Amino acid sequence: MEERTELIEVAGDGHPSSDAARVAGWGRVLRGNRVLWVVAASAVLALVAGLLIGRFIAPAEAGEAPERGLVTVPVEFGPLSNDVTLRADVGYADAVHVTVDTASLDGAAIVTGQVPEQGAELATLSVALEVAGRPIIVLPGELPAYRTLRVGVSGPDVLQLKQALTALGIGVGDATSPMFDRTTAEGVRQLYAQVGYPAPAPAEGATEMLRSAEEALRSAQGAVAAAQQGLAAAGAGPSTLDVWQADVAVADAERAVEAARASGGDVQGAEWALKTAQLQREQLFAARDTSAEQAELASARAQVQAATDALSEAQLGVLPHLPASEVAYLTELPRRVDSVNVARGAAVQGPVMTVSGASVRLTGAAAEADARLLSVGGEASFELPDGTVVGATIAAIEEAKGEASRRTVLLDPAELTPEQVEQIKGKNVRVRVPVGATEGDVLSVPLAALTAGPGGEERVEIVESDPRDGEDAKTRMVLVETGLAARGAVEIRPLDGEIEEGALVVVGR
């Protein structure tokens, strides 16, 4: 190793002098921080170089700034719109679970047929499923089927059934009445005929009761006929034979009286016999007492009335009815089958399937401030993954669950092809809702281009020379009327001059 020798000045007392000590200390600092000192020296050189460059390149006079030009932008010409943008999930509308009321079934609720495939469409009169050989008929309605509907019951569910049948062209009598009557029952019979199934069988014993009621009525009617005959016989007048015999008896008695008078016989006895014959003849034409026969007829007629009432009741028991297990009411038909939870031969347990609207629906969310700019029926648009722009219509604006400051926005897209549906199904898309738009192409400038005139009028400054001339550039002020403002731009219409597309307007200096 090279031997290093340090020369240190020594003071008269044998210790190094203060100057010598300072020199030695700086030497140690320089040797221990050589890299740091190199960087510092480089910085100093750069600073000096910058000052020299600034001295010879900058303007000759110190503090002189370069002259600035005007900040301009061209006037635009085209449509202008103000949009609300939101994100929306794509799915099918109003998914609901379809359940079957199996309480009214006599046996096991076994699926016997008509099991739909996923993606199938359910419309009015579709058979959603077949359970125990009976159909589950799809009808439009909001109320679920919760009881069997038959003649005599009344309520909103009956009114819903009548309205559904009326929409199908099936007569139900008074469609505004909530009463299930005979006409409604006949309408149910036609409903089953249209779906290709027999109407539900009457309750057990109903048919036998009907036959018994019919036989009882026939018997009662026979009793009435017999009573009527008895009354007629009791109230009838004398027969021709009875009258003839009475006349003969009177004539014989008269001759007997004359013979007695002529022979001096028993005249009084002959006269008494004549009087008796005359009274007997008169008795033939006297009114008869038919009260007993009349009472018997009244009793027979009462039995007929009772039998008629019983027959009417029995007839109601065999009229068509609609079991709760054989109808599924769904809103917004047709519906799309999203999933099926049963198979043929399996027992029904829980929801049998999940269905949703057959049409695609977009569900988005918007802040309350943005939602106030939207309205039901408003037009919107979104892009498919392939770049195709598709229109949509706002179907509803609802309060978001659990978020008072946001609103749920439901949109119905324009008609989509099956291929387009597959592109967006289950995806999230960006939806643009124009809340204000110009009618066609208009002139527009940035909001920063507007200035206020002496009277508060709005104006823009048009540059007619090179804007790089700065304050020396030639400009002119044009009074304008403003229109729609959107995305930092505003529609303008010149009032006292011409403004052309592409003209430069001043937005800053």
Side-chain angles (χ1 to χ4, degrees):
M1 174 182 292
E2 178 180 272
E3 183 177 349
R4 178 175 298 170
T5 303
E6 295 186 3
L7 298 178
I8 301 176
E9 184 180 355
V10 181
D13 57 4
H15 296 284
S17 68
S18 60
D19 291 338
R22 282 194 295 271
V23 172
W26 280 108
R28 286 192 296 270
V29 170
L30 290 173
R31 289 192 300 272
N33 300 277
R34 183 173 297 172
V35 175
L36 175 63
W37 286 109
V38 171
V39 173
S42 300
V44 171
L45 291 174
L47 176 61
V48 172
L51 292 174
L52 290 174
I53 292 172
R55 170 63 178 154
F56 292 102
I57 296 180
E61 297 182 7
E64 182 181 353
E67 186 177 355
R68 294 179 297 173
L70 299 177
V71 181
T72 62
V73 295
V75 176
E76 300 287 343
F77 182 70
L80 191 63
S81 64
N82 199 4
D83 302 336
V84 170
T85 302
L86 51 91
R87 305 295 304 186
D89 294 324
V90 182
Y92 289 95
D94 300 330
V96 295
H97 299 300
V98 178
T99 58
V100 178
D101 181 4
T102 59
S104 60
L105 296 177
D106 295 331
I110 303 299
V111 177
T112 53
Q114 299 286 358
V115 181
E117 296 182 355
Q118 183 177 356
E121 188 173 280
L122 298 181
T124 301
L125 289 184
S126 292
V127 176
L129 201 67
E130 184 183 272
V131 178
R134 299 297 302 166
I136 299 175
I137 305 171
V138 176
L139 291 178
E142 296 183 355
L143 283 175
Y146 59 90
R147 63 172 176 170
T148 294
L149 300 182
R150 60 178 76 250
V151 174
V153 303
S154 176
D157 50 348
V158 176
L159 187 60
Q160 175 175 263
L161 171 64
K162 283 187 168 185
Q163 292 171 346
L165 295 182
T166 300
L168 291 169
I170 298 175
V172 293
D174 184 0
T176 64
S177 170
M179 177 64 70
F180 193 114
D181 53 19
R182 289 176 177 270
T183 309
T184 312
E186 289 304 319
V188 170
R189 190 191 304 279
Q190 295 181 44
L191 170 67
Y192 278 94
Q194 289 196 22
V195 297
Y197 283 81
E204 185 177 356
T207 303
E208 291 73 13
M209 185 179 296
L210 176 62
R211 285 198 289 265
S212 297
E214 290 171 343
E215 180 61 31
L217 178 59
R218 284 193 293 269
S219 177
Q221 290 171 337
V224 166
Q228 287 174 333
Q229 291 177 355
L231 177 61
S239 65
T240 303
L241 177 61
D242 291 338
V243 173
W244 169 255
Q245 290 175 343
D247 288 343
V248 171
V250 169
D252 288 344
E254 287 174 345
R255 286 193 295 270
V257 169
E258 291 175 357
R261 288 175 179 170
S263 62
D266 187 2
V267 175
Q268 185 177 14
E271 289 178 346
W272 285 352
L274 175 60
K275 184 62 175 179
T276 299
Q278 291 173 339
L279 290 175
Q280 287 176 341
R281 186 181 183 283
E282 290 176 1
Q283 188 64 32
L284 291 176
F285 297 96
R288 303 290 181 90
D289 181 10
T290 59
S291 58
E293 289 80 5
Q294 289 177 350
E296 184 176 353
L297 178 60
S299 176
R301 286 173 172 168
Q303 291 177 359
V304 167
Q305 183 60 52
T308 301
D309 294 341
L311 177 60
S312 296
E313 186 69 23
Q315 288 173 336
L316 296 180
V318 298
L319 284 176
H321 61 282
L322 183 62
S325 61
E326 297 189 13
V327 62
Y329 291 104
L330 297 173
T331 58
E332 298 185 16
L333 292 172
R335 288 273 181 164
R336 178 184 182 277
V337 177
D338 289 339
S339 63
V340 180
N341 306 325
V342 294
R344 188 173 184 180
V348 172
Q349 293 181 343
V352 295
M353 66 184 69
T354 301
V355 299
S356 61
S359 58
V360 173
R361 171 160 285 182
L362 280 61
T363 303
E368 186 174 6
D370 288 339
R372 283 198 293 266
L373 302 174
L374 309 180
S375 60
V376 174
E379 297 298 320
S381 64
F382 64 98
E383 283 191 10
L384 300 179
D386 62 6
T388 303
V389 177
V390 179
T393 304
I394 298 177
I397 302 173
E398 306 169 349
E399 183 172 337
K401 295 181 180 179
E403 295 185 71
S405 62
R406 297 186 69 78
R407 296 291 182 268
T408 297
V409 182
L410 304 178
L411 304 103
D412 293 330
E415 185 175 354
L416 299 169
T417 66
E419 293 76 17
Q420 290 175 328
V421 171
E422 288 301 317
Q423 283 188 53
I424 60 173
K425 184 174 63 176
K427 291 186 170 54
N428 184 275
V429 297
R430 181 175 177 269
V431 179
R432 184 179 66 86
V433 185
V435 294
T438 59
E439 296 182 0
D441 296 335
V442 297
L443 295 171
S444 63
V445 298
L447 288 168
L450 294 177
T451 60
E457 65 275 12
E458 293 181 303
R459 60 188 184 176
V460 294
E461 186 175 2
I462 303 298
V463 179
E464 295 185 331
S465 64
D466 191 338
R468 290 176 296 181
D469 293 341
E471 295 299 332
D472 295 332
K474 184 180 179 181
T475 65
R476 61 186 173 93
M477 288 292 184
V478 180
L479 295 180
V480 297
E481 179 184 25
T482 59
L484 176 71
R487 298 195 297 267
V490 61
E491 174 189 1
I492 60 169
R493 291 179 290 276
L495 298 178
D496 64 348
E498 293 185 358
I499 301 177
E500 297 180 353
E501 177 186 6
L504 297 180
V505 62
V506 177
V507 296
R509 281 180 164 79

